Amino acid sequence: MLRIKRPFIGPLPSFLPSLTLSVLGLAAAVSVAAAASLGGPMELQDEGQFFIGGQPMPSTHPSNAAGFLPGQIMANQMFVHYRIPAAVNKPPIIMVHGSGHTGVTYETTPDGREGWATYFTRNNFPTYVVDHSGRGRSGFDPTPINRAKAESNASLLPDVPLTTKERAWVNFRFGNAYPTAFPGLQFPVEAIDQYVSQLVPNTETTLAGGGANTVKALSALVDKIGPSIVMVHSQSGNYGLDLVRQRADKLRGLIIVEGSCGPLSADDVSRHFKKVPILIVLGDNTTGSKTNNGDERRKQCTEAANQIRAAGGKAKFMLLPEAGIKGNSHMMMMDRNNLIIADQVIGWLTEVAGM
């Protein structure tokens, strides 16, 4: 909840006392509820949105409806929502979501608790939350779909995947099969429908270059706001790796939350990765998991951290259950103990990355 102070403009009309008390009582109740769910009042010096990385381009089929002639559209742009705390004593942090999601990943949790976007802001990090280029609020290019329809040519249609509840349950390690949850699971399964409501199609498949457009836009964002920490999740793990290859000199740290960690070549490590402090975080129930977020990813991330340290860089692989933090899913930023994990990340940034 952000408090906005307004000037007092005089006494209220005498015929409104009962209404005033009712409204004030309701406002107080709403204030208390918001404070309980979102962490309380927070002072910002600025908040807003902008787009970065877009290019104007012609579209032969902006629509398949009559009257829509070919014309110019914007494509490849990336939506950015920023919050600048009143007191800034930390570098900016850019939060990048994974497959099937948008920046909502880092906002309020499905069961209404504070998310990482506001929590990191509350801890004096200017926070920038993005939607991948071609997805969510960034928009996408409908030209390939409309053209395929106009030309009756299904082979022109891109695949536009959307994660189902059942697939999310298994792949994001809520349990081995829907609807049975792992014992001690921290994800708020009672809010599963709220969670599934935020899942969106991967419409970046309509863009030439796909996810490479997000990496390009992230590079432009770092150039715009200055040296930054970048947090990537799941699918965007690879985007983080590519960003290090392109902007190692402008990254204060890379936090990989259950994302790809490699493979890294010796040249990768010596030229790029040993220059950027890297924290890798994985949750529970990865052992024996055949999903993208199981044994293979854990092994790959262990090897990457070892490679970077052997080359003289700073890298930590934090397997949460080994740190005594148990029951976390692939969506740990939404889990019931999400702020405990956030504190672990902030502690590492303070101790190792010198922030």
Side-chain angles (χ1 to χ4, degrees):
M1 181 178 67
L2 175 62
R3 283 185 175 171
I4 303 174
K5 294 184 178 179
R6 301 187 186 280
F8 179 67
I9 57 174
L12 292 164
S14 59
F15 58 85
L16 288 177
S18 60
L19 177 59
T20 300
L21 290 174
S22 298
V23 171
L24 290 176
L26 177 60
V30 170
S31 175
V32 170
S37 62
L38 298 178
M42 178 172 61
E43 280 191 76
L44 300 178
Q45 60 174 281
D46 199 9
E47 180 180 20
Q49 303 87 29
F50 59 88
F51 293 86
I52 196 165
Q55 297 92 35
M57 59 182 61
S59 174
T60 56
H61 296 79
S63 173
N64 201 43
F68 277 82
L69 300 176
Q72 190 178 85
I73 63 171
M74 288 294 292
N76 304 330
Q77 66 270 22
M78 184 177 74
F79 172 85
V80 183
H81 180 188
Y82 65 90
R83 296 177 179 89
I84 312 299
V88 175
N89 56 24
K90 302 289 196 309
I93 183 167
I94 301 167
M95 297 183 173
V96 191
H97 61 84
S99 178
H101 294 77
T102 67
V104 174
T105 291
Y106 298 105
E107 304 287 348
T108 309
T109 65
D111 57 338
R113 292 170 292 104
E114 182 165 31
W116 284 3
T118 53
Y119 191 70
F120 275 77
T121 306
R122 201 181 297 284
N123 280 274
N124 301 326
F125 291 87
T127 304
Y128 295 77
V129 177
V130 307
D131 285 5
H132 289 185
S133 297
R135 197 187 307 174
R137 292 165 290 186
S138 298
F140 68 98
D141 182 4
T143 303
I145 297 170
N146 294 330
R147 180 187 169 197
K149 184 176 181 181
E151 298 179 8
S152 300
N153 186 351
S155 68
L156 297 175
L157 288 170
D159 181 43
V160 184
L162 175 63
T163 298
T164 62
K165 179 191 296 185
E166 293 79 5
R167 184 176 188 275
W169 193 275
V170 175
N171 205 45
F172 301 161
R173 299 196 320 279
F174 304 156
N176 283 323
Y178 177 78
T180 303
F182 287 125
L185 179 70
Q186 293 282 359
F187 186 83
V189 292
E190 71 279 5
I192 188 65
D193 286 345
Q194 278 290 314
Y195 169 67
V196 175
S197 294
Q198 72 175 255
L199 299 179
V200 298
N202 285 8
T203 45
E204 69 270 24
T205 57
T206 65
L207 305 179
N213 296 292
T214 297
V215 178
K216 184 177 180 180
L218 288 169
S219 297
L221 180 57
V222 171
D223 291 342
K224 178 183 176 72
I225 68 177
S228 306
I229 306 156
V230 175
M231 175 184 289
V232 290
H233 176 238
S234 197
Q235 177 194 24
S236 63
N238 280 319
Y239 301 167
L241 301 183
D242 284 343
L243 188 62
V244 170
R245 293 178 179 112
Q246 296 179 21
R247 290 293 188 278
D249 59 327
K250 292 189 177 180
L251 295 186
R252 298 288 302 275
L254 176 67
I255 302 158
I256 302 175
V257 180
E258 296 234 349
S260 177
C261 303
L264 304 181
S265 69
D267 185 60
D268 265 339
V269 174
S270 63
R271 292 181 57 197
H272 308 296
F273 287 88
K274 74 175 185 179
K275 299 176 182 178
V276 180
I278 295 177
L279 174 66
I280 303 161
V281 188
L282 262 69
D284 212 337
N285 299 304
T286 60
T287 301
S289 174
K290 304 301 182 184
T291 70
N292 295 335
N293 306 303
D295 290 320
E296 287 303 313
R297 179 155 289 174
R298 190 181 66 253
K299 178 182 177 183
Q300 180 192 71
C301 290
T302 301
E303 291 174 351
N306 289 339
Q307 281 180 276
I308 295 166
R309 287 196 300 269
K314 297 178 180 178
K316 179 174 183 178
F317 176 44
M318 184 186 295
L319 187 61
L320 292 177
E322 289 185 355
I325 302 172
K326 298 183 179 181
N328 286 105
S329 73
H330 183 61
M331 306 306 302
M332 63 181 68
M333 66 289 295
M334 302 177 189
D335 287 345
R336 291 188 178 91
N337 59 350
N338 65 334
L339 302 188
I340 292 174
I341 300 168
D343 285 338
Q344 294 287 317
V345 173
I346 293 170
W348 177 85
L349 288 170
T350 302
E351 179 183 351
V352 177
M355 299 167 196

